[in-house]
């Protein structure tokens, strides 16, 4: 990216990178010359992505649980024509899922925390860098407890 002119090196490490044709300081901090527009991707429907959209919380009782203890619930049960889609599947804990059973939320007298929709984005897996673990040359670019998004 440096040779294509897409990034500028702002800080370098002291060691040099060598190849047959080039020798350069190892870049430590680079700046993108042009803002890279993120493509709006359609987020694929999956169990894991439903849990991410719902913040790993049961959409009926709001309990926060690890993925291993969450289930997916069809808001309108499949037996009543409900589809397996972003608009009809939510994260639910086991007890709420069993309590709701083969009924709609209204029939089960249970309410959803929010109406499920296809998400435009999902929380990214951030790499948290504390001031101790960040390389020296990065520190001035990191706010305290700053987060660098993993690419
Ligand atoms: Zn629940």
């Amino acid at each position: 990216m440096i040779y294509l002119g897409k990034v500028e090196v702002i800080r370098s490490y002291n060691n040099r990178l060598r190849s047959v044709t080039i020798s350069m300081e190892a870049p430590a901090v680079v700046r993108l010359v042009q803002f890279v527009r993120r493509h709006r991707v359609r987020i694929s429907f999956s169990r894991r992505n439903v849990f991410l959209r719902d913040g790993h919380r049961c959409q009926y009782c709001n309990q926060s649980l690890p993925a291993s203890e969450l289930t997916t619930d069809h808001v309108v049960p499949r037996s009543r024509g409900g589809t397996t889609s972003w608009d009809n599947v939510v994260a639910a804990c086991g007890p709420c899922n069993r309590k709701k059973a083969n009924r709609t939320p209204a029939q089960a007298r249970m309410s959803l925390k929010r109406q499920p929709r296809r998400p435009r984005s999902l929380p990214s897996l951030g790499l948290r860098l504390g001031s101790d673990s960040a390389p020296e040359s990065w520190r001035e670019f990191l706010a305290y407890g700053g987060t660098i998004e993993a690419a």
Side-chain angles (χ1 to χ4, degrees):
M1 288 182 89
I2 293 166
Y3 283 95
L4 292 173
K6 291 187 175 174
V7 295
E8 287 174 355
V9 177
I10 294 175
R11 294 285 184 279
S12 297
Y13 294 117
N14 287 326
N15 55 316
R16 297 185 71 81
L17 298 176
R18 288 171 209 282
S19 77
V20 179
T21 52
I22 61 162
S23 169
M24 61 183 279
E25 287 185 321
V29 176
V30 297
R31 184 178 81 85
L32 279 171
V33 173
Q34 280 186 310
F35 179 71
V36 180
R37 185 184 290 274
R38 286 197 188 187
H39 295 284
R40 190 90 348 132
V41 286
R42 264 172 89 82
I43 296 165
S44 56
F45 177 84
S46 69
R47 176 185 162 84
R48 180 176 168 274
N49 284 346
V50 166
F51 294 164
L52 282 171
R53 178 198 64 187
D54 293 346
H56 288 82
R57 283 180 181 275
C58 171
Q59 293 300 289
Y60 296 103
C61 71
N62 212 30
Q63 191 182 174
S64 177
L65 290 166
S68 59
E69 291 173 43
L70 280 170
T71 64
T72 52
D73 174 63
H74 284 75
V75 177
V76 176
R78 273 178 291 187
S79 60
R80 295 171 192 271
T83 56
T84 302
S85 65
W86 282 117
D87 298 338
N88 193 49
V89 174
V90 295
C93 70
C96 286
N97 204 333
R98 284 189 291 277
K99 182 178 160 200
K100 179 173 169 286
N102 211 19
R103 298 177 293 180
T104 64
Q107 289 167 334
R109 294 173 179 273
M110 293 167 76
S111 59
L112 280 168
K113 297 297 158 199
R114 57 180 183 178
Q115 202 57 40
R117 293 274 177 263
R118 173 186 288 276
R120 293 220 190 109
S121 64
L122 292 175
S124 60
L125 284 179
L127 167 64
R128 274 209 171 268
L129 287 169
S131 53
D132 294 339
S133 58
E136 185 67 42
S137 52
W138 293 12
R139 291 188 190 165
E140 66 184 288
F141 301 98
L142 295 173
Y144 179 75
T147 300
I148 291 185
E149 279 191 14

